[in-house]
Amino acid sequence: MSNKKKLMTIAIAAEITPAKTIIPIIKKIKLLESKNKLNWENSKIIGLYHGDSVKNILSPFCDECFSIGQGRGSNKKKNSNIKLSYLIFKDFLKAFSAMRGKNIDLLITAGNAGDVRKSILVANFLHIPIIHIEQDIYNPIEIISHANLVTVPSEKYVSYLKNHYNLINVLNIGGYPMVSYVIDSIKNHKNISKEQILSENGLKLTDDYILLVLGGDLRDNDLEKLIQVCESLNYPIIIAPYRFDKQLVESLVSSFNINVLDNYVDLYDYLHHAKILIYAAGMGMTIEAGIFEIPSIKIKGFHKDHASVDLANDLNIPIVSIEDIGHVINNLSKSNSKDLIENSQIAIDNLIDIINNFNYSLNKSGLSSTKKIWNQRKKYR
């Protein structure tokens, strides 16, 4: 008679980019399950999400998906403290309803947004053990202090989280699982041609182009200066505005050599055919720049300490201020993604081992760690 657990129920909570970190782990769990190599016979995966974009990414890999409210990102209208407290409490109840009665054995979270905060709070209330996968080492969300275990991509980050935030259970998994997601997505992607991209963006079919990706390391008042600098390069440019309003970005453009995409588009084709990438985003974009091995510039933002900065340095991607873009753009080289890819597989295997043999007696770091992380996060507001 088998001593294996019949059913392992795992809940996952993450926004778009962090979800891409968890998906390769779920895929590997299902593969090993089919080969009878785990400590349970079958798994049930429950996805907890903010917004339809995340649901669309998670749902193919989950048995069930539940909304736990709405994200309150940088573009959303600012609320009073009273209204914000009401909305957070309302979302907490929604998360509680989604997680209660599901016999969840383990919650896995990634990222530093409200979905992580609410799901960890509810998991603590329901006595569900928690693994948090941390990549934003210098600016984590304060509630990870109430996870049983926090994983990080390298040994130096173990020391950092323990020394700076008093987190007690931190393990190095040795890489970034999201790399595997990006590689699989590229393999399964239906490419469009460079000529089609140029034509759709009103550029000459003989042109090479720069892809400029705006993101979380920029503030609104940086945009005008950035676009002026990029226009001075006298190069065809396609801008992915991402979190910034497309009309706002277009209003700052005066060159016919520049076209602005819609806010959320699939960038794989644009990355594949771009001559150069300039970006002001974090870990997800840095990983993609490395995988595509595209000559890149990361714009120096207000997050001076950030794991994506460390990774960009490892990948030989220069990190420069807006005004220095023109000084480095003619001296870029491709990054070497070999270690990035190999370490991703190591990280996935290590996470599977942690989940398969999870120590349910691990203590949480507690309120002193919560306060230390909270004080650090205040510097970025």
PDB file of all heavy atoms in Angstrom, residues 113-141:
ATOM      1  N   ALA A 113       3.442  42.794  -4.812  1.00  0.00           N
ATOM      2  CA  ALA A 113       2.216  43.577  -4.997  1.00  0.00           C
ATOM      3  C   ALA A 113       1.126  43.093  -4.043  1.00  0.00           C
ATOM      4  O   ALA A 113       1.319  42.198  -3.220  1.00  0.00           O
ATOM      5  CB  ALA A 113       1.759  43.478  -6.451  1.00  0.00           C
ATOM      6  N   GLY A 114      -0.057  43.698  -4.192  1.00  0.00           N
ATOM      7  CA  GLY A 114      -1.150  43.453  -3.262  1.00  0.00           C
ATOM      8  C   GLY A 114      -1.656  42.028  -3.247  1.00  0.00           C
ATOM      9  O   GLY A 114      -2.163  41.556  -2.225  1.00  0.00           O
ATOM     10  N   ASP A 115      -1.542  41.321  -4.371  1.00  0.00           N
ATOM     11  CA  ASP A 115      -1.992  39.935  -4.394  1.00  0.00           C
ATOM     12  C   ASP A 115      -1.190  39.086  -3.410  1.00  0.00           C
ATOM     13  O   ASP A 115      -1.734  38.211  -2.737  1.00  0.00           O
ATOM     14  CB  ASP A 115      -1.903  39.350  -5.806  1.00  0.00           C
ATOM     15  CG  ASP A 115      -0.579  39.647  -6.493  1.00  0.00           C
ATOM     16  OD1 ASP A 115       0.308  40.239  -5.858  1.00  0.00           O
ATOM     17  OD2 ASP A 115      -0.443  39.302  -7.675  1.00  0.00           O
ATOM     18  N   VAL A 116       0.106  39.355  -3.310  1.00  0.00           N
ATOM     19  CA  VAL A 116       0.959  38.644  -2.351  1.00  0.00           C
ATOM     20  C   VAL A 116       0.558  39.006  -0.926  1.00  0.00           C
ATOM     21  O   VAL A 116       0.420  38.136  -0.065  1.00  0.00           O
ATOM     22  CB  VAL A 116       2.448  38.976  -2.590  1.00  0.00           C
ATOM     23  CG1 VAL A 116       3.320  38.399  -1.482  1.00  0.00           C
ATOM     24  CG2 VAL A 116       2.886  38.451  -3.942  1.00  0.00           C
ATOM     25  N   ARG A 117       0.344  40.301  -0.698  1.00  0.00           N
ATOM     26  CA  ARG A 117      -0.008  40.758   0.652  1.00  0.00           C
ATOM     27  C   ARG A 117      -1.293  40.082   1.134  1.00  0.00           C
ATOM     28  O   ARG A 117      -1.348  39.514   2.238  1.00  0.00           O
ATOM     29  CB  ARG A 117      -0.173  42.279   0.658  1.00  0.00           C
ATOM     30  CG  ARG A 117      -0.496  42.854   2.022  1.00  0.00           C
ATOM     31  CD  ARG A 117      -0.659  44.365   1.990  1.00  0.00           C
ATOM     32  NE  ARG A 117       0.633  45.032   1.911  1.00  0.00           N
ATOM     33  CZ  ARG A 117       1.039  45.739   0.866  1.00  0.00           C
ATOM     34  NH1 ARG A 117       0.261  45.858  -0.204  1.00  0.00           N
ATOM     35  NH2 ARG A 117       2.209  46.328   0.868  1.00  0.00           N
ATOM     36  N   LYS A 118      -2.332  40.130   0.305  1.00  0.00           N
ATOM     37  CA  LYS A 118      -3.627  39.585   0.736  1.00  0.00           C
ATOM     38  C   LYS A 118      -3.598  38.074   0.889  1.00  0.00           C
ATOM     39  O   LYS A 118      -4.138  37.528   1.856  1.00  0.00           O
ATOM     40  CB  LYS A 118      -4.716  40.002  -0.257  1.00  0.00           C
ATOM     41  CG  LYS A 118      -5.147  41.455  -0.089  1.00  0.00           C
ATOM     42  CD  LYS A 118      -6.145  41.880  -1.130  1.00  0.00           C
ATOM     43  CE  LYS A 118      -5.485  42.125  -2.455  1.00  0.00           C
ATOM     44  NZ  LYS A 118      -6.387  42.798  -3.427  1.00  0.00           N
ATOM     45  N   SER A 119      -2.968  37.388  -0.058  1.00  0.00           N
ATOM     46  CA  SER A 119      -2.968  35.928   0.010  1.00  0.00           C
ATOM     47  C   SER A 119      -2.165  35.425   1.206  1.00  0.00           C
ATOM     48  O   SER A 119      -2.561  34.451   1.857  1.00  0.00           O
ATOM     49  CB  SER A 119      -2.439  35.330  -1.291  1.00  0.00           C
ATOM     50  OG  SER A 119      -1.117  35.757  -1.553  1.00  0.00           O
ATOM     51  N   ILE A 120      -1.047  36.092   1.531  1.00  0.00           N
ATOM     52  CA  ILE A 120      -0.265  35.673   2.703  1.00  0.00           C
ATOM     53  C   ILE A 120      -1.033  35.965   3.997  1.00  0.00           C
ATOM     54  O   ILE A 120      -1.038  35.146   4.934  1.00  0.00           O
ATOM     55  CB  ILE A 120       1.122  36.341   2.709  1.00  0.00           C
ATOM     56  CG1 ILE A 120       1.999  35.747   1.591  1.00  0.00           C
ATOM     57  CG2 ILE A 120       1.820  36.145   4.065  1.00  0.00           C
ATOM     58  CD1 ILE A 120       3.393  36.346   1.509  1.00  0.00           C
ATOM     59  N   LEU A 121      -1.693  37.123   4.069  1.00  0.00           N
ATOM     60  CA  LEU A 121      -2.495  37.438   5.259  1.00  0.00           C
ATOM     61  C   LEU A 121      -3.577  36.384   5.476  1.00  0.00           C
ATOM     62  O   LEU A 121      -3.773  35.891   6.593  1.00  0.00           O
ATOM     63  CB  LEU A 121      -3.125  38.820   5.114  1.00  0.00           C
ATOM     64  CG  LEU A 121      -2.217  40.027   5.367  1.00  0.00           C
ATOM     65  CD1 LEU A 121      -2.949  41.312   5.001  1.00  0.00           C
ATOM     66  CD2 LEU A 121      -1.764  40.073   6.817  1.00  0.00           C
ATOM     67  N   VAL A 122      -4.287  36.032   4.404  1.00  0.00           N
ATOM     68  CA  VAL A 122      -5.351  35.038   4.523  1.00  0.00           C
ATOM     69  C   VAL A 122      -4.770  33.670   4.865  1.00  0.00           C
ATOM     70  O   VAL A 122      -5.328  32.946   5.704  1.00  0.00           O
ATOM     71  CB  VAL A 122      -6.172  34.976   3.220  1.00  0.00           C
ATOM     72  CG1 VAL A 122      -7.143  33.793   3.248  1.00  0.00           C
ATOM     73  CG2 VAL A 122      -6.943  36.276   3.013  1.00  0.00           C
ATOM     74  N   ALA A 123      -3.655  33.306   4.244  1.00  0.00           N
ATOM     75  CA  ALA A 123      -3.028  32.013   4.532  1.00  0.00           C
ATOM     76  C   ALA A 123      -2.632  31.911   6.004  1.00  0.00           C
ATOM     77  O   ALA A 123      -2.804  30.853   6.626  1.00  0.00           O
ATOM     78  CB  ALA A 123      -1.801  31.817   3.642  1.00  0.00           C
ATOM     79  N   ASN A 124      -2.127  33.008   6.566  1.00  0.00           N
ATOM     80  CA  ASN A 124      -1.809  33.000   7.999  1.00  0.00           C
ATOM     81  C   ASN A 124      -3.067  32.804   8.834  1.00  0.00           C
ATOM     82  O   ASN A 124      -3.065  32.059   9.817  1.00  0.00           O
ATOM     83  CB  ASN A 124      -1.106  34.298   8.383  1.00  0.00           C
ATOM     84  CG  ASN A 124       0.396  34.239   8.176  1.00  0.00           C
ATOM     85  OD1 ASN A 124       1.145  33.863   9.059  1.00  0.00           O
ATOM     86  ND2 ASN A 124       0.841  34.606   6.982  1.00  0.00           N
ATOM     87  N   PHE A 125      -4.137  33.468   8.449  1.00  0.00           N
ATOM     88  CA  PHE A 125      -5.405  33.344   9.169  1.00  0.00           C
ATOM     89  C   PHE A 125      -5.925  31.913   9.107  1.00  0.00           C
ATOM     90  O   PHE A 125      -6.485  31.390  10.073  1.00  0.00           O
ATOM     91  CB  PHE A 125      -6.419  34.319   8.572  1.00  0.00           C
ATOM     92  CG  PHE A 125      -7.660  34.499   9.378  1.00  0.00           C
ATOM     93  CD1 PHE A 125      -7.700  35.395  10.436  1.00  0.00           C
ATOM     94  CD2 PHE A 125      -8.799  33.769   9.081  1.00  0.00           C
ATOM     95  CE1 PHE A 125      -8.850  35.556  11.176  1.00  0.00           C
ATOM     96  CE2 PHE A 125      -9.962  33.920   9.823  1.00  0.00           C
ATOM     97  CZ  PHE A 125      -9.988  34.823  10.882  1.00  0.00           C
ATOM     98  N   LEU A 126      -5.726  31.264   7.947  1.00  0.00           N
ATOM     99  CA  LEU A 126      -6.225  29.902   7.741  1.00  0.00           C
ATOM    100  C   LEU A 126      -5.187  28.826   8.076  1.00  0.00           C
ATOM    101  O   LEU A 126      -5.436  27.636   7.848  1.00  0.00           O
ATOM    102  CB  LEU A 126      -6.678  29.733   6.287  1.00  0.00           C
ATOM    103  CG  LEU A 126      -7.864  30.600   5.840  1.00  0.00           C
ATOM    104  CD1 LEU A 126      -8.098  30.443   4.339  1.00  0.00           C
ATOM    105  CD2 LEU A 126      -9.123  30.236   6.614  1.00  0.00           C
ATOM    106  N   HIS A 127      -4.022  29.254   8.578  1.00  0.00           N
ATOM    107  CA  HIS A 127      -2.944  28.328   8.960  1.00  0.00           C
ATOM    108  C   HIS A 127      -2.441  27.496   7.776  1.00  0.00           C
ATOM    109  O   HIS A 127      -2.187  26.293   7.889  1.00  0.00           O
ATOM    110  CB  HIS A 127      -3.391  27.406  10.099  1.00  0.00           C
ATOM    111  CG  HIS A 127      -3.918  28.140  11.298  1.00  0.00           C
ATOM    112  ND1 HIS A 127      -3.111  28.897  12.117  1.00  0.00           N
ATOM    113  CD2 HIS A 127      -5.187  28.269  11.770  1.00  0.00           C
ATOM    114  CE1 HIS A 127      -3.852  29.441  13.074  1.00  0.00           C
ATOM    115  NE2 HIS A 127      -5.113  29.088  12.882  1.00  0.00           N
ATOM    116  N   ILE A 128      -2.295  28.160   6.631  1.00  0.00           N
ATOM    117  CA  ILE A 128      -1.752  27.516   5.435  1.00  0.00           C
ATOM    118  C   ILE A 128      -0.258  27.863   5.332  1.00  0.00           C
ATOM    119  O   ILE A 128       0.096  29.038   5.359  1.00  0.00           O
ATOM    120  CB  ILE A 128      -2.482  28.005   4.164  1.00  0.00           C
ATOM    121  CG1 ILE A 128      -3.966  27.635   4.224  1.00  0.00           C
ATOM    122  CG2 ILE A 128      -1.818  27.444   2.908  1.00  0.00           C
ATOM    123  CD1 ILE A 128      -4.799  28.313   3.148  1.00  0.00           C
ATOM    124  N   PRO A 129       0.631  26.887   5.204  1.00  0.00           N
ATOM    125  CA  PRO A 129       2.071  27.170   5.051  1.00  0.00           C
ATOM    126  C   PRO A 129       2.353  27.923   3.743  1.00  0.00           C
ATOM    127  O   PRO A 129       1.625  27.771   2.758  1.00  0.00           O
ATOM    128  CB  PRO A 129       2.712  25.782   5.030  1.00  0.00           C
ATOM    129  CG  PRO A 129       1.693  24.881   5.633  1.00  0.00           C
ATOM    130  CD  PRO A 129       0.353  25.450   5.269  1.00  0.00           C
ATOM    131  N   ILE A 130       3.442  28.703   3.758  1.00  0.00           N
ATOM    132  CA  ILE A 130       3.713  29.626   2.645  1.00  0.00           C
ATOM    133  C   ILE A 130       5.177  29.551   2.211  1.00  0.00           C
ATOM    134  O   ILE A 130       6.087  29.628   3.044  1.00  0.00           O
ATOM    135  CB  ILE A 130       3.410  31.081   3.054  1.00  0.00           C
ATOM    136  CG1 ILE A 130       1.957  31.214   3.530  1.00  0.00           C
ATOM    137  CG2 ILE A 130       3.701  32.049   1.911  1.00  0.00           C
ATOM    138  CD1 ILE A 130       1.765  32.309   4.558  1.00  0.00           C
ATOM    139  N   ILE A 131       5.394  29.465   0.889  1.00  0.00           N
ATOM    140  CA  ILE A 131       6.708  29.679   0.281  1.00  0.00           C
ATOM    141  C   ILE A 131       6.617  30.943  -0.558  1.00  0.00           C
ATOM    142  O   ILE A 131       5.715  31.062  -1.403  1.00  0.00           O
ATOM    143  CB  ILE A 131       7.133  28.504  -0.619  1.00  0.00           C
ATOM    144  CG1 ILE A 131       7.276  27.219   0.181  1.00  0.00           C
ATOM    145  CG2 ILE A 131       8.448  28.832  -1.350  1.00  0.00           C
ATOM    146  CD1 ILE A 131       7.518  25.985  -0.691  1.00  0.00           C
ATOM    147  N   HIS A 132       7.524  31.871  -0.340  1.00  0.00           N
ATOM    148  CA  HIS A 132       7.562  33.079  -1.161  1.00  0.00           C
ATOM    149  C   HIS A 132       8.837  33.064  -2.000  1.00  0.00           C
ATOM    150  O   HIS A 132       9.941  32.903  -1.476  1.00  0.00           O
ATOM    151  CB  HIS A 132       7.536  34.341  -0.303  1.00  0.00           C
ATOM    152  CG  HIS A 132       7.622  35.601  -1.118  1.00  0.00           C
ATOM    153  ND1 HIS A 132       6.569  36.076  -1.859  1.00  0.00           N
ATOM    154  CD2 HIS A 132       8.663  36.454  -1.337  1.00  0.00           C
ATOM    155  CE1 HIS A 132       6.947  37.187  -2.489  1.00  0.00           C
ATOM    156  NE2 HIS A 132       8.206  37.424  -2.189  1.00  0.00           N
ATOM    157  N   ILE A 133       8.690  33.245  -3.317  1.00  0.00           N
ATOM    158  CA  ILE A 133       9.828  33.301  -4.233  1.00  0.00           C
ATOM    159  C   ILE A 133      10.176  34.768  -4.443  1.00  0.00           C
ATOM    160  O   ILE A 133       9.414  35.517  -5.054  1.00  0.00           O
ATOM    161  CB  ILE A 133       9.485  32.638  -5.577  1.00  0.00           C
ATOM    162  CG1 ILE A 133       9.026  31.199  -5.356  1.00  0.00           C
ATOM    163  CG2 ILE A 133      10.694  32.674  -6.522  1.00  0.00           C
ATOM    164  CD1 ILE A 133       8.423  30.550  -6.596  1.00  0.00           C
ATOM    165  N   GLU A 134      11.313  35.199  -3.921  1.00  0.00           N
ATOM    166  CA  GLU A 134      11.685  36.617  -3.959  1.00  0.00           C
ATOM    167  C   GLU A 134      12.745  36.881  -5.020  1.00  0.00           C
ATOM    168  O   GLU A 134      13.774  36.208  -5.064  1.00  0.00           O
ATOM    169  CB  GLU A 134      12.215  37.066  -2.586  1.00  0.00           C
ATOM    170  CG  GLU A 134      12.481  38.546  -2.474  1.00  0.00           C
ATOM    171  CD  GLU A 134      11.259  39.374  -2.856  1.00  0.00           C
ATOM    172  OE1 GLU A 134      10.225  39.276  -2.178  1.00  0.00           O
ATOM    173  OE2 GLU A 134      11.348  40.105  -3.860  1.00  0.00           O
ATOM    174  N   GLN A 135      12.477  37.866  -5.864  1.00  0.00           N
ATOM    175  CA  GLN A 135      13.461  38.321  -6.851  1.00  0.00           C
ATOM    176  C   GLN A 135      13.804  39.790  -6.659  1.00  0.00           C
ATOM    177  O   GLN A 135      14.900  40.223  -7.012  1.00  0.00           O
ATOM    178  CB  GLN A 135      12.933  38.091  -8.276  1.00  0.00           C
ATOM    179  CG  GLN A 135      12.782  36.627  -8.633  1.00  0.00           C
ATOM    180  CD  GLN A 135      12.407  36.402 -10.086  1.00  0.00           C
ATOM    181  OE1 GLN A 135      12.710  35.363 -10.657  1.00  0.00           O
ATOM    182  NE2 GLN A 135      11.748  37.348 -10.703  1.00  0.00           N
ATOM    183  N   ASP A 136      12.879  40.569  -6.100  1.00  0.00           N
ATOM    184  CA  ASP A 136      13.112  41.998  -5.882  1.00  0.00           C
ATOM    185  C   ASP A 136      13.749  42.178  -4.504  1.00  0.00           C
ATOM    186  O   ASP A 136      13.122  42.663  -3.570  1.00  0.00           O
ATOM    187  CB  ASP A 136      11.790  42.756  -5.988  1.00  0.00           C
ATOM    188  CG  ASP A 136      11.977  44.252  -6.032  1.00  0.00           C
ATOM    189  OD1 ASP A 136      13.137  44.700  -6.007  1.00  0.00           O
ATOM    190  OD2 ASP A 136      10.972  44.983  -6.073  1.00  0.00           O
ATOM    191  N   ILE A 137      15.006  41.784  -4.391  1.00  0.00           N
ATOM    192  CA  ILE A 137      15.662  41.577  -3.102  1.00  0.00           C
ATOM    193  C   ILE A 137      15.687  42.835  -2.234  1.00  0.00           C
ATOM    194  O   ILE A 137      15.472  42.778  -1.020  1.00  0.00           O
ATOM    195  CB  ILE A 137      17.125  41.099  -3.316  1.00  0.00           C
ATOM    196  CG1 ILE A 137      17.139  39.874  -4.250  1.00  0.00           C
ATOM    197  CG2 ILE A 137      17.791  40.800  -1.982  1.00  0.00           C
ATOM    198  CD1 ILE A 137      16.373  38.681  -3.770  1.00  0.00           C
ATOM    199  N   TYR A 138      15.924  43.979  -2.845  1.00  0.00           N
ATOM    200  CA  TYR A 138      16.139  45.195  -2.062  1.00  0.00           C
ATOM    201  C   TYR A 138      14.834  45.893  -1.690  1.00  0.00           C
ATOM    202  O   TYR A 138      14.823  46.783  -0.845  1.00  0.00           O
ATOM    203  CB  TYR A 138      17.034  46.160  -2.843  1.00  0.00           C
ATOM    204  CG  TYR A 138      18.350  45.534  -3.251  1.00  0.00           C
ATOM    205  CD1 TYR A 138      18.569  45.111  -4.554  1.00  0.00           C
ATOM    206  CD2 TYR A 138      19.363  45.340  -2.316  1.00  0.00           C
ATOM    207  CE1 TYR A 138      19.765  44.517  -4.929  1.00  0.00           C
ATOM    208  CE2 TYR A 138      20.564  44.745  -2.679  1.00  0.00           C
ATOM    209  CZ  TYR A 138      20.758  44.336  -3.983  1.00  0.00           C
ATOM    210  OH  TYR A 138      21.945  43.741  -4.350  1.00  0.00           O
ATOM    211  N   ASN A 139      13.733  45.510  -2.325  1.00  0.00           N
ATOM    212  CA  ASN A 139      12.459  46.161  -2.052  1.00  0.00           C
ATOM    213  C   ASN A 139      11.334  45.127  -2.003  1.00  0.00           C
ATOM    214  O   ASN A 139      10.350  45.218  -2.738  1.00  0.00           O
ATOM    215  CB  ASN A 139      12.168  47.213  -3.135  1.00  0.00           C
ATOM    216  CG  ASN A 139      10.921  48.016  -2.848  1.00  0.00           C
ATOM    217  OD1 ASN A 139      10.563  48.241  -1.705  1.00  0.00           O
ATOM    218  ND2 ASN A 139      10.243  48.437  -3.903  1.00  0.00           N
ATOM    219  N   PRO A 140      11.464  44.129  -1.115  1.00  0.00           N
ATOM    220  CA  PRO A 140      10.413  43.117  -1.040  1.00  0.00           C
ATOM    221  C   PRO A 140       9.173  43.688  -0.355  1.00  0.00           C
ATOM    222  O   PRO A 140       9.223  44.758   0.259  1.00  0.00           O
ATOM    223  CB  PRO A 140      11.059  42.018  -0.189  1.00  0.00           C
ATOM    224  CG  PRO A 140      12.007  42.765   0.702  1.00  0.00           C
ATOM    225  CD  PRO A 140      12.536  43.901  -0.133  1.00  0.00           C
ATOM    226  N   ILE A 141       8.080  42.975  -0.453  1.00  0.00           N
ATOM    227  CA  ILE A 141       6.873  43.397   0.242  1.00  0.00           C
ATOM    228  C   ILE A 141       6.969  42.943   1.705  1.00  0.00           C
ATOM    229  O   ILE A 141       7.493  41.860   1.997  1.00  0.00           O
ATOM    230  CB  ILE A 141       5.622  42.836  -0.464  1.00  0.00           C
ATOM    231  CG1 ILE A 141       4.390  43.616  -0.064  1.00  0.00           C
ATOM    232  CG2 ILE A 141       5.462  41.342  -0.235  1.00  0.00           C
ATOM    233  CD1 ILE A 141       3.207  43.374  -0.991  1.00  0.00           C
TER     234      ILE A 141
END
